[in-house]
Amino acid sequence: LSHVDAIASEPLLAQFVVPNGQPVSGISCDAQEGQRIHIHQHLLILDHGKTVDIPANVGQPAGGQCIYWLHTHTPDGIIHIEAPLNRSFTLGGFFAVWGQPLSRTVAATAYTKSGAPRRVWVDGTPFKADPRSIPLLALTDIVIEAGPPGRFTVHGDGVPGGCNFAARFSAKSNAFARGLGGARGWFF
């Protein structure tokens, strides 16, 4: 089964289009980033042991006319939520803004054959429900693995190594804040 065959056999996938400014799943694209909520998450997708790229500028349509409340700035899997109102967001909302499929068998270009292993961890804990329902909270660390593990280290608890986003984020934002004379806040 090729990637094309897997995508063609999943009717949900044919419907995905990268949005160009229209609201998506109740998520608006505004002229500037919202300031009411400003939090970050980390997403790592492994396709049979290989990292799936999460590109820079997801949620930032060409032409720069707006930016979605869920977006990326860099190609490192860091999701930014910068919204003008208090509300909850899910991983399904991010994938809708990205224009990529997410289901129990597909995450962007990573897919599993029927019955093949697909694992999801949220903050190092196995997540068994639909991955679209994963809440995007401050410093949430999400790993989706399609197929058997490859070159990534897997610890005894079955979680791929190198995924301590909260510690890395805290160290980076604190170092940045020290460079600004001790200013505190979300700088990433």
Side-chain angles (χ1 to χ4, degrees):
L1 189 66
S2 72
H3 285 284
V4 173
D5 293 335
I7 289 172
S9 68
E10 182 87 33
L12 175 69
L13 301 181
Q15 301 171 8
F16 279 88
V17 175
V18 176
N20 62 4
Q22 72 277 20
V24 177
S25 299
I27 302 164
S28 291
C29 193
D30 296 338
Q32 62 186 14
E33 296 167 328
Q35 297 301 314
R36 184 82 173 145
I37 299 175
H38 188 172
I39 58 175
H40 303 93
Q41 303 75 35
H42 179 252
L43 173 62
L44 173 65
I45 303 171
L46 302 172
D47 185 0
H48 297 81
K50 295 180 182 166
T51 302
V52 172
D53 291 332
I54 300 162
N57 303 319
V58 168
Q60 299 180 51
Q65 77 273 17
C66 63
I67 186 166
Y68 281 92
W69 299 344
L70 276 71
H71 57 270
T72 66
H73 292 287
T74 53
D76 55 9
I78 304 301
I79 300 169
H80 296 251
I81 296 178
E82 298 173 66
L85 53 97
N86 287 329
R87 61 159 280 188
S88 60
F89 296 93
T90 64
L91 189 60
F94 174 73
F95 272 76
V97 168
W98 185 12
Q100 293 291 318
L102 179 63
S103 71
R104 292 182 183 271
T105 59
V106 178
T109 59
Y111 71 96
T112 59
K113 296 177 185 175
S114 180
R118 194 254 325 139
R119 289 172 248 164
V120 177
W121 294 271
V122 176
D123 296 327
T125 302
F127 187 86
K128 303 293 184 187
D130 185 336
R132 290 175 288 209
S133 69
I134 295 172
L136 296 180
L137 306 174
L139 303 178
T140 300
D141 200 2
I142 303 163
V143 177
I144 300 174
E145 182 182 60
R151 62 183 173 84
F152 286 88
T153 303
V154 177
H155 299 293
D157 57 6
V159 179
C163 300
N164 190 352
F165 173 60
R168 287 184 321 202
F169 181 85
S170 293
K172 188 172 257 188
S173 66
N174 288 339
F176 187 78
R178 281 192 299 275
L180 294 175
R184 305 298 288 168
W186 294 100
F187 302 108
F188 197 67

